[in-house]
């Protein structure tokens, strides 16, 4: 029944859109990773290494560029051409669903990005 993985991905993206998926409140971090071409292993690496980063370092001064470089080191092929809004979406998804201690920096980076790019809050 669900043999076409691309169709499954499309189904999930449509459901996420219906549920109000945005860079501020992603419906699924796994869906973001899948959309980038990542796998379950990619998801696991991103989750565990971000958790370690947050709990073993002072990330209060981290910039969007710092996080982008961090993810590019974890999975160079997946994150090599990723744009800033996707990094924000990853951070917000992790903060909302998995890593509470990431919330304040994710919110700050989101607000800074919105101001710098003159985007309305969603």
């Amino acid at each position: 029944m669900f043999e076409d993985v691309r169709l499954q991905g499309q189904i999930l993206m449509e459901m996420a859109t219906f549920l109000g998926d945005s860079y501020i409140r992603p419906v699924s971090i796994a869906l973001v990773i899948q959309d980038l071409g990542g796998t379950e292993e990619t998801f696991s690496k991103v989750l565990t290494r971000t958790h370690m980063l947050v709990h073993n370092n002072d990330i209060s001064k981290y910039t969007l560029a710092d996080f982008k470089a961090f993810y590019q080191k974890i999975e160079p092929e997946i994150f090599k051409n990723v744009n800033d809004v996707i990094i924000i979406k990853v951070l917000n998804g992790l903060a909302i669903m998995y890593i509470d201690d990431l919330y304040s920096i994710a919110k700050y980076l989101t607000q800074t990005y919105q101001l710098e790019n003159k985007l309305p809050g969603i």
Side-chain angles (χ1 to χ4, degrees):
M1 182 172 169
F2 286 109
E3 295 175 10
D4 189 342
V5 175
R6 293 174 302 196
L7 184 58
Q8 289 177 32
Q10 182 63 34
I11 291 166
L12 293 172
M13 291 298 287
E14 289 174 5
M15 291 170 70
T17 299
F18 179 77
L19 293 171
D21 184 63
S22 71
Y23 67 97
I24 296 171
R25 291 199 192 321
V27 169
S28 167
I29 188 66
L31 189 55
V32 175
I33 299 295
Q34 181 187 25
D35 194 39
L36 292 172
T39 63
E40 183 179 350
E41 183 179 339
T42 306
F43 172 80
S44 180
K45 284 182 186 178
V46 167
L47 177 59
T48 57
R49 294 192 185 165
T50 304
H51 188 274
M52 289 173 23
L53 176 74
V54 169
H55 290 99
N56 296 329
N57 299 281
D58 177 12
I59 62 162
S60 64
K61 303 290 185 215
Y62 266 51
T63 65
L64 198 50
D66 293 330
F67 280 107
K68 185 184 279 191
F70 173 74
Y71 290 122
Q72 287 173 339
K73 285 181 186 174
I74 293 173
E75 287 283 349
E77 288 302 311
I78 301 300
F79 287 97
K80 71 178 175 184
N81 294 320
V82 73
N83 62 37
D84 291 347
V85 77
I86 297 299
I87 298 298
I88 290 172
K89 193 170 188 175
V90 168
L91 293 172
N92 282 322
L94 290 172
I96 292 167
M97 294 176 231
Y98 297 101
I99 308 171
D100 293 339
D101 293 337
L102 184 60
Y103 184 79
S104 61
I105 189 70
K107 184 173 181 168
Y108 171 77
L109 291 173
T110 300
Q111 290 172 341
T112 302
Y113 181 80
Q114 288 172 320
L115 290 172
E116 290 174 354
N117 293 283
K118 297 181 175 85
L119 298 175
I122 294 177

